[in-house]
Amino acid sequence: MRIWLINHYAVPPQYYPLARQNYFAKNLMRLGHEVTIFAASTVHNSDKNLIEDDTPYREDVVDGVHYVLIRCKGYHGNGVSRILNMLEFARKLPGVCDKYPRPDAIVATSMPPMSCAAGIKLARKYGCRGIAEIADLWPESIIAYGIAGPHNPAVLWLRRLEKWIYTKADAVVFTMEGAYDYIKEQHWEKEVPQSKVFYINNGVDLELFDYNKEHFRVEDKDLDDPEIFKVVYTGSIRRVNGLGLLLDVAKAVRDPRVRFLIWGDGDERPMLERRVKDENIGNVVFKGRVEKKFVPSIVSRADVNIAHCISTPVERYGISFNKMFEYFAAGKIVLSDFPTQYNPAVQCGAGITVNVVSSANIAAAVDKLASLPEEERRRFEENSRAAAHKYDFKKLTSELLEVIQSIPKKE
């Protein structure tokens, strides 16, 4: 089949590390399918634009994967310029797509919903299978983060667009296991039957993870110290990640062997480092940013890997943090603090969660894990590595292909 993956942010992973579409493309190609990824030329969370002249679009083949990058104006932050960037990509997408041979299937991703809707419209135009992939609930996330209220005109417009996508797509793939709970809360069961809704979470390229673990080792005295109980965080250090709470947790932990090792960068890092110094928090070390290829070396030498950020009501439908699946691949215990019944780490027996989030409760969980009997620790670690096989992108790609092939071919 000729398959198009439309994702506004899916630039080649050396520019932006969220590589879900890249992994799908590689594995679909291994299975004999022809794949093209359509994305905007702008690189999220950066000032980089991959098309700096007036070229309307450009083709790249990166590590064997065919990309079509559509020129869009850059943006900063989450304001008006970003919204205009989203609208520009959705507006320009059909004209660029018309220059390519008709696909057999289109998988169009939301966020943002505008380009997802454009992808579903193209599937209807070309008479091919159209799959909506929902990686973020818009506008529900906007409401959850307090950006706009439920009756805001923009929110109401996005809600109508969201329902249109779910209704008109041949199938809807959510990265959140409890997404159909959300559909029922919206009273859309009649228009969006459960039979067309599927769950494929994020995952890990296990082969690549193991290769990077072996070939790109981080030399670090804390990771190599057997006397330290290492609680590792990897990821961004911005307000939404809520690492200030982890500093409070570190202050409340009783076990003197515990040390929080934080890899990553972001605009809140200087402030948090000042807190560590001013408050004399001796069991937290900020390690800085590393290339993604070094992450397997880090998380595989932790005692506990912590999945943490500021919780929102959206997480009640499930969680799909990329780092959690890297933690599984590491074969180490996962500690999470998201109040949801759809937690892959807990479901797979790979770790524990803190449902009532507070520094005292998280600290108590860390102390509990630091004192686990060896047999119980080994069982968690074995379950964690087993979970990585469940969420390996080879398996997830097969699941996506099953969804595509379940849709009757259109004449």
Side-chain angles (χ1 to χ4, degrees), residues 147-159:
I147 298 171
H151 303 296
N152 182 288
V155 168
L156 295 175
W157 177 79
L158 285 168
R159 188 80 79 193

Side-chain angles (χ1 to χ4, degrees), residues 219-401:
E219 300 301 329
D220 184 89
K221 61 183 178 61
D222 289 325
L223 286 175
D224 292 333
D225 190 340
E227 301 302 317
I228 294 175
F229 186 84
K230 298 168 278 289
V231 180
V232 167
Y233 170 91
T234 59
S236 297
I237 305 175
R238 303 194 305 271
R239 185 183 67 84
V240 70
N241 304 109
L243 293 195
L245 178 59
L246 281 193
L247 300 194
D248 297 332
V249 171
K251 292 167 67 173
V253 164
R254 296 182 177 182
D255 193 320
R257 298 174 301 134
V258 170
R259 190 168 298 174
F260 291 80
L261 309 178
I262 298 174
W263 267 271
D265 205 355
D267 55 13
E268 283 215 336
R269 181 182 166 192
M271 179 271 291
L272 295 170
E273 288 181 317
R274 284 195 300 272
R275 269 198 64 190
V276 167
K277 182 178 180 180
D278 294 345
E279 298 174 29
N280 194 28
I281 308 174
N283 58 351
V284 173
V285 184
F286 284 87
K287 298 290 186 176
R289 182 183 179 276
V290 295
E291 291 182 64
K292 189 173 178 61
K293 65 184 180 182
F294 291 105
V295 170
S297 169
I298 294 167
V299 297
S300 297
R301 289 146 68 197
D303 293 297
V304 169
N305 288 304
I306 186 164
H308 165 82
C309 74
I310 294 175
S311 183
T312 73
V314 174
E315 277 130 28
R316 71 185 184 274
Y317 306 116
I319 53 179
S320 53
F321 302 113
N322 289 285
K323 71 183 70 175
M324 178 173 286
F325 305 99
E326 292 178 323
Y327 293 170
F328 290 162
K332 299 295 182 178
I333 298 174
V334 179
L335 171 61
S336 55
D337 54 12
F338 307 103
T340 177
Q341 62 177 315
Y342 303 107
N343 186 326
V346 174
Q347 292 169 334
C348 295
I352 65 174
T353 190
V354 177
N355 285 318
V356 180
V357 178
S358 70
S359 58
N361 288 345
I362 300 172
V366 171
D367 283 323
K368 175 183 177 180
L369 292 174
S371 62
L372 279 181
E374 183 59 33
E375 182 179 347
E376 191 172 353
R377 173 181 308 284
R378 188 165 56 250
R379 185 165 60 249
F380 274 123
E381 292 177 345
E382 290 171 353
N383 289 343
S384 188
R385 181 65 182 187
H389 289 277
K390 177 179 179 180
Y391 291 101
D392 185 358
F393 264 104
K394 286 187 177 66
K395 184 174 185 300
L396 299 182
T397 303
S398 294
E399 293 174 9
L400 177 63
L401 189 58

Side-chain angles (χ1 to χ4, degrees), residues 57-294:
Y57 69 97
R58 90 171 197 217
E59 297 184 75
D60 282 342
V61 177
V62 180
D63 200 15
V65 177
H66 180 218
Y67 288 87
V68 176
L69 303 176
I70 299 174
R71 182 171 61 85
C72 296
K73 293 180 181 178
Y75 61 91
H76 298 279
N78 293 314
V80 173
S81 62
R82 186 180 180 193
I83 295 170
L84 293 175
N85 174 270
M86 296 176 188
L87 293 170
E88 182 180 16
F89 177 74
R91 175 174 57 82
K92 291 182 174 180
L93 179 69
V96 173
C97 287
D98 281 345
K99 301 180 185 300
Y100 292 87
R102 172 189 174 277
D104 299 295
I106 293 175
V107 181
T109 301
S110 174
M111 146 81 185
M114 292 76 93
S115 55
C116 181
I120 298 306
K121 288 179 182 178
L122 285 169
R124 292 162 65 83
K125 172 183 174 180
Y126 298 143
C128 70
R129 301 163 168 127
I131 297 91
E133 181 189 58
I134 311 301
D136 194 3
L137 289 175
W138 265 47
E140 197 65 21
S141 293
I142 298 175
I143 299 169
Y145 282 106
I147 298 171
H151 303 296
N152 182 288
V155 168
L156 295 175
W157 177 79
L158 285 168
R159 188 80 79 193
R160 288 194 295 272
L161 182 63
E162 177 190 34
K163 184 179 180 182
W164 185 93
I165 291 169
Y166 298 169
T167 303
K168 300 301 182 182
D170 295 310
V172 187
V173 173
F174 286 93
T175 60
M176 297 141 283
E177 185 179 1
Y180 207 73
D181 296 345
Y182 171 74
I183 289 173
K184 289 191 287 188
E185 287 176 14
Q186 301 301 321
H187 306 292
W188 294 343
E189 306 100 306
K190 183 177 179 181
E191 298 91 339
V192 189
Q194 193 160 7
S195 59
K196 70 182 289 184
V197 174
F198 301 85
Y199 162 60
I200 302 177
N201 210 321
N202 283 319
V204 62
D205 183 328
L206 202 47
E207 182 180 345
L208 178 61
F209 181 97
D210 290 341
Y211 177 89
N212 287 342
K213 174 184 171 182
E214 181 179 350
H215 291 86
F216 300 102
R217 178 180 172 84
V218 170
E219 300 301 329
D220 184 89
K221 61 183 178 61
D222 289 325
L223 286 175
D224 292 333
D225 190 340
E227 301 302 317
I228 294 175
F229 186 84
K230 298 168 278 289
V231 180
V232 167
Y233 170 91
T234 59
S236 297
I237 305 175
R238 303 194 305 271
R239 185 183 67 84
V240 70
N241 304 109
L243 293 195
L245 178 59
L246 281 193
L247 300 194
D248 297 332
V249 171
K251 292 167 67 173
V253 164
R254 296 182 177 182
D255 193 320
R257 298 174 301 134
V258 170
R259 190 168 298 174
F260 291 80
L261 309 178
I262 298 174
W263 267 271
D265 205 355
D267 55 13
E268 283 215 336
R269 181 182 166 192
M271 179 271 291
L272 295 170
E273 288 181 317
R274 284 195 300 272
R275 269 198 64 190
V276 167
K277 182 178 180 180
D278 294 345
E279 298 174 29
N280 194 28
I281 308 174
N283 58 351
V284 173
V285 184
F286 284 87
K287 298 290 186 176
R289 182 183 179 276
V290 295
E291 291 182 64
K292 189 173 178 61
K293 65 184 180 182
F294 291 105

